[in-house]
Amino acid sequence: MTANDLDWWRDAVVYQVYIRSFADGNGDGVGDIAGLRGKLDHLARLGVDAIWINPWYPSPLADGGYDVADYRSINPTFGDTAQAEALLTETHERGMKVLLDIVPNHHSDAHAWFRAALAAAPGSPERDRYVFRPGRGPDGAEPPNNWESMFGGPAWERVPDGEWYLHLFDVTQPDVNWDNAEVRDDVETTLRFWFDRGVDGFRIDVANAMIKQDGLPDIVEGVNDEQDGNHPYLDRDEVHEIYRSWRRIGDSYDPPKVFVAEAWVPDPERLARYLRPDELQTAFSFNFLRAAWLAPDLKDNITEAIAENDAVGAPATWVLSNHDVARHVSRLARKPETGRGYWLDDLLDLPADFTLGLRRARAATLLMLALPGTAYLYQGEELGLPEAEDIPADQLDDPTWELSGHTKRGRDGCRVPLPWSGDAPPYGFSIDASPGVGGPWLPQPPEFAACTAEKLEADPESILHLYRDALMIRKAHPALGGGELTWKDSPEGTLAFTREPGFTALVNVSSTPVSLPEDAEILLASGPLTRYGSVPADTTLWLRNA
Ligand code: GLC
């Protein structure tokens, strides 16, 4: 094994598989391991280095599987342990790694420990694995503090004997108590369990929320608005000790296992603390995802992320979409300034131009893949999928819909089953779907007909071919992947940077064409040049320097 193999994660392109919606191997309308195994060649041909699979553990699926009932087993809806092991082997055989998702902040209320906690008395060891507290007010009828669930409403639920338990997410997702040694040990056992089966690493769910301040003080507006180390439950400094311990576990394997943190910590300096040499290897730079489609905003966020990560010796980790945000085709279809609104609910009443959204999405991808560091692709972005914006209310599944009192539609629009082939639902998503046996678990919009992998395969100008070409060049070109970036002067509203040896990226984020640099040879373009040979708005070029 060469040093380069050991450091694969420094410049990897990782493909996120939202398993419930990727491909359905048994025709029940829900994606599964069999479906994924059947599509591994699609991923290998795309040219990705690894896949990250969203939670596939037994779960009531109240929050899409982030409500885990048993961390060391497979949800029968998705398959079984033997299929999981076969998938690992087959993915590795194709030269791709496999990352799983660990959810350490909370369990499902269906977890055996939570059942035991409910059956046990206040003050018992069973309750100490969670965050149970008496209520406030004369009869304890008020929640213990003013914290709110991320999905809406209070973060506390009362149980029949009068105690309350904390749930920063859905009411079915009780937070666990990270001061409890059993809780810590159990997660480490889970990490080893999957590492021993050949899993290459983990994405860490809400990696900045596990530690709660002693005494669980109220959030004070104006004081706790930032994640600066003083927030009662976000990005507290004590969380880092957990990752030092996990890193030791990961490093005890040969080759070492890797982690990527999902931590929505806006300050890049604080985010980089998760990436100190004895902590995690990577963390998503979500400020890039949130950036407006405007040159200064993009440039500032890229520069800051690289600088702060460089300071701790870690690569930046770029991402444009995932299962929690509106698909970027649809975000970019709105005004450029709306980059900062990333949920469908932020966008719904804004006028949209989806042709423009797709054009910008192609340009954004070539920008991302030219940056130094690692990049994550979300399933379906290689098909240019838009967000499904009008799923009927009675089919919405995201707990956000209920907990917001039917004011927020939530994240289902980016979780719709993928269109693989054909002209009508389920567009090849379900293998052997017999008519009348129910359809995909979320309805697929008619726009998906134009986005099937089969159709895009047949069109050399399609976004699918653009992704493949970009990944092929990225792999072969010595300047791409890890390394440095140097910004160059460029016309207002554009970005230009070089990577050595001999590579320039030019991104026209302005609304007018700009001229092509002299002596430049085009390696790849996100769209055609104007008929006068200049670079149109919302277009990225990869150039070979003279
Ligand atoms: C993360 C997941 C999201 C989930 C939440 C609670 O943000 O990405 O899907 O709802 O954590 O686990």
Side-chain angles (χ1 to χ4, degrees):
M1 172 136 333
T2 65
N4 201 25
D5 291 333
L6 287 177
D7 277 354
W8 66 270
W9 48 271
R10 285 193 165 271
D11 62 357
V13 176
V14 184
Y15 184 100
Q16 178 187 351
V17 175
Y18 194 76
I19 188 156
R20 215 178 168 191
S21 300
F22 186 72
D24 165 21
N26 66 0
D28 65 357
V30 182
D32 48 33
I33 299 177
L36 173 54
R37 287 172 68 191
K39 299 289 184 194
L40 284 176
D41 286 333
H42 171 82
L43 302 178
R45 277 197 72 197
L46 194 57
V48 298
D49 302 297
I51 60 175
W52 148 38
I53 306 172
N54 287 101
W56 60 1
Y57 319 108
S59 161
L61 298 178
D63 181 24
Y66 284 94
D67 47 324
V68 181
D70 173 2
Y71 288 78
R72 303 195 275 275
S73 183
I74 297 286
N75 188 333
T77 304
F78 300 141
D80 57 29
T81 312
Q83 286 182 356
E85 284 174 354
L87 170 80
L88 278 164
T89 307
E90 290 161 9
T91 312
H92 287 151
E93 277 168 4
R94 287 167 176 77
M96 298 181 287
K97 315 271 188 208
V98 180
L99 309 183
L100 299 184
D101 212 316
I102 186 80
V103 188
N105 180 68
H106 42 265
H107 291 167
S108 162
D109 62 358
H111 193 289
W113 279 7
F114 194 70
R115 298 257 159 107
L118 288 184
S124 58
E126 288 84 353
R127 287 221 174 162
D128 189 58
R129 293 165 175 154
Y130 298 92
V131 186
F132 277 90
R133 291 291 183 277
R136 291 203 281 208
D139 54 0
E142 301 290 319
N145 67 23
N146 69 355
W147 298 0
E148 288 183 359
S149 153
M150 311 267 188
F151 296 146
W156 294 93
E157 180 73 4
R158 201 170 194 195
V159 301
D161 59 36
E163 275 208 310
W164 298 74
Y165 69 85
L166 176 69
H167 62 90
L168 288 180
F169 292 89
D170 186 42
V171 59
T172 67
Q173 291 168 296
D175 280 51
V176 293
N177 170 19
W178 274 85
D179 288 332
N180 180 301
E182 266 186 294
V183 164
R184 291 187 181 231
D185 290 350
D186 190 62
V187 176
E188 297 194 350
T189 304
T190 297
L191 297 178
R192 287 198 182 88
F193 175 90
W194 291 108
F195 288 157
D196 290 345
R197 278 155 188 77
V199 164
D200 302 286
F202 276 96
R203 176 259 192 195
I204 306 167
D205 189 61
V206 279
N208 54 330
M210 281 117 87
I211 301 293
K212 279 81 185 178
Q213 187 175 350
D214 282 347
L216 309 182
D218 276 347
I219 300 270
V220 183
E221 231 176 277
V223 175
N224 299 132
D225 301 346
E226 309 282 332
Q227 297 189 45
D228 56 3
N230 295 312
H231 190 282
Y233 59 82
L234 291 177
D235 192 31
R236 297 195 57 79
D237 290 334
E238 304 91 314
V239 81
H240 296 284
E241 193 43 47
I242 298 173
Y243 298 131
R244 293 195 182 98
S245 178
W246 292 13
R247 180 65 181 260
R248 287 192 291 272
I249 294 172
D251 280 354
S252 70
Y253 287 82
D254 182 20
K257 308 295 184 177
V258 303
F259 296 97
V260 58
E262 185 225 17
W264 289 81
V265 175
D267 175 352
E269 187 276 325
R270 288 211 55 101
L271 182 63
R273 294 184 191 201
Y274 291 73
L275 307 177
R276 288 174 290 198
D278 59 347
E279 297 193 42
L280 307 171
Q281 289 90 343
T282 54
F284 295 113
S285 304
F286 285 123
N287 286 358
F288 176 67
L289 180 155
R290 291 150 56 110
W293 185 245
L294 294 168
D297 216 37
L298 289 165
K299 185 172 177 178
D300 288 352
N301 281 303
I302 292 168
T303 306
E304 263 190 334
I306 294 176
E308 296 297 351
N309 284 16
D310 268 357
V312 290
T317 298
W318 312 108
V319 58
L320 287 164
S321 275
N322 64 30
H323 65 291
D324 289 328
V325 301
R327 285 187 175 277
H328 59 272
V329 166
S330 300
R331 300 202 314 269
L332 294 168
R334 270 75 183 195
K335 293 186 298 184
E337 296 78 8
T338 59
R340 291 211 170 266
Y342 47 88
W343 281 39
L344 172 60
D345 295 288
D346 300 329
L347 306 174
L348 269 176
D349 36 4
L350 297 169
D353 174 345
F354 291 100
T355 308
L356 179 66
L358 182 58
R359 178 183 179 81
R360 287 181 174 160
R362 294 172 63 118
T365 296
L366 289 202
L367 163 62
M368 174 170 82
L369 293 175
L371 296 173
T374 153
Y376 278 66
L377 312 178
Y378 177 49
Q379 68 177 37
E381 69 175 69
E382 79 279 23
L383 308 177
L385 292 189
E387 181 82 357
E389 301 197 6
D390 44 16
I391 298 174
D394 62 353
Q395 292 186 55
L396 289 175
D397 181 80
D398 183 345
T400 306
W401 176 242
E402 287 304 325
L403 288 177
S404 68
H406 296 184
T407 57
K408 293 197 162 130
R409 299 176 66 83
R411 302 160 295 175
D412 291 321
C414 63
R415 300 175 174 180
V416 173
L418 293 192
W420 290 98
S421 57
D423 294 308
Y427 299 113
F429 169 70
S430 291
I431 296 167
D432 295 335
S434 347
V437 185
W441 70 278
L442 283 175
Q444 297 160 306
E447 301 86 79
F448 276 23
C451 305
T452 64
E454 181 184 53
K455 282 219 172 79
L456 302 183
E457 183 75 56
D459 171 8
E461 303 301 321
S462 74
I463 187 164
L464 177 59
H465 284 273
L466 181 75
Y467 269 75
R468 276 200 203 129
D469 293 347
L471 292 178
M472 202 161 44
I473 295 173
R474 182 180 155 109
K475 203 156 269 174
H477 201 298
L480 294 179
E484 317 238 305
L485 157 162
T486 309
W487 294 107
K488 292 286 164 196
D489 287 341
S490 64
E492 205 186 325
T494 67
L495 300 173
F497 57 87
T498 55
R499 310 280 320 268
E500 292 306 329
F503 176 94
T504 297
L506 174 64
V507 190
N508 185 359
V509 204
S510 78
S511 45
T512 48
V514 295
S515 40
L516 190 64
E518 272 170 40
D519 297 334
E521 182 193 328
I522 297 177
L523 290 171
L524 190 61
S526 68
L529 298 184
T530 68
R531 72 175 117 137
Y532 307 108
S534 47
V535 187
D538 301 308
T539 301
T540 298
L541 297 188
W542 285 7
L543 304 168
R544 191 198 311 274
N545 295 349

